[in-house]
Amino acid sequence: RHTCSHCDWSSDVCSSALRLAKAVEDENVFAHWLLESSRLDGNTLKALTGPDGVPEGLGRSVRFVDSPLPSHAEFFGQRSRIEISANIANLDLPKGQLTLEAWVSIGKLMQWGGIVGALQDNGTYEKGWLLGYRNDRFCFAINTAGHKSLTYLTADRALELGRWYHVAGVYDGTVQRLYVDGELVAESTEQKDRKSTRLNSSHSESS
């Protein structure tokens, strides 16, 4: 079971809730999704706040499950995801500060697994941001204006398959931090932008 955010990545995860914020205060939350069957309206996942999403492969590679609790969505296969927008220009995404958080359970380890992100990575061309995991470690990646590549933070400990975790990535314009179950597990100032704190974002999907 996989909660995948980037269309080219795959894994096996389930997720119950996702939130994307411009800052930590509730009034600045850009989007908040509960991945529950009660939030479905046809093929649309209705957001609590922000834009709705469209599950790709609903009932096949994306399944909403009420039992066992908590209610959650399961993602199977390489292209399973919930897409928020095919055109990032339609979204007023955070540009200076960013908080990403999610409740997730990983069912299968993958080299690259996404939870939520707006990302383009073509080798030497990297931009955007991502909360996900690499093999058995949660990760948080961002790229800001003036930088050519993403900085990946990786947790200092391995995750356990089938266990639920609260994972959060925070960037305040200077420091990039990764939290697992409320504990700081990695941080960096590599993406401190001397000219601007505008985040480079490109492709936007969530799941």
Side-chain angles (χ1 to χ4, degrees), residues 134-156:
R134 303 171 68 179
N135 299 311
D136 63 351
R137 310 292 172 104
F138 288 112
C139 67
F140 172 44
I142 59 170
N143 174 270
T144 58
H147 294 266
K148 295 182 179 180
S149 60
L150 295 158
T151 295
Y152 276 89
L153 296 183
T154 304
D156 59 0

Side-chain angles (χ1 to χ4, degrees), residues 21-42:
K22 296 181 180 180
V24 295
E25 295 83 1
D26 288 343
E27 62 267 21
N28 289 318
V29 172
F30 169 79
H32 187 180
W33 303 279
L34 288 180
L35 304 191
E36 301 178 353
S37 59
S38 62
R39 302 301 302 174
L40 286 173
D41 183 5

Side-chain angles (χ1 to χ4, degrees), residues 27-87:
E27 62 267 21
N28 289 318
V29 172
F30 169 79
H32 187 180
W33 303 279
L34 288 180
L35 304 191
E36 301 178 353
S37 59
S38 62
R39 302 301 302 174
L40 286 173
D41 183 5
N43 195 44
T44 299
L45 177 68
K46 306 298 290 185
L48 293 177
T49 302
D52 299 330
V54 178
E56 299 292 331
L58 183 61
R60 303 185 303 277
S61 59
V62 179
R63 305 172 190 169
F64 286 78
V65 179
D66 295 322
S67 179
L69 295 174
S71 299
H72 58 273
E74 298 178 345
F75 299 80
F76 302 86
Q78 186 174 10
R79 300 187 66 82
S80 59
R81 66 193 187 277
I82 297 175
E83 186 172 84
I84 305 306
S85 176
N87 184 355

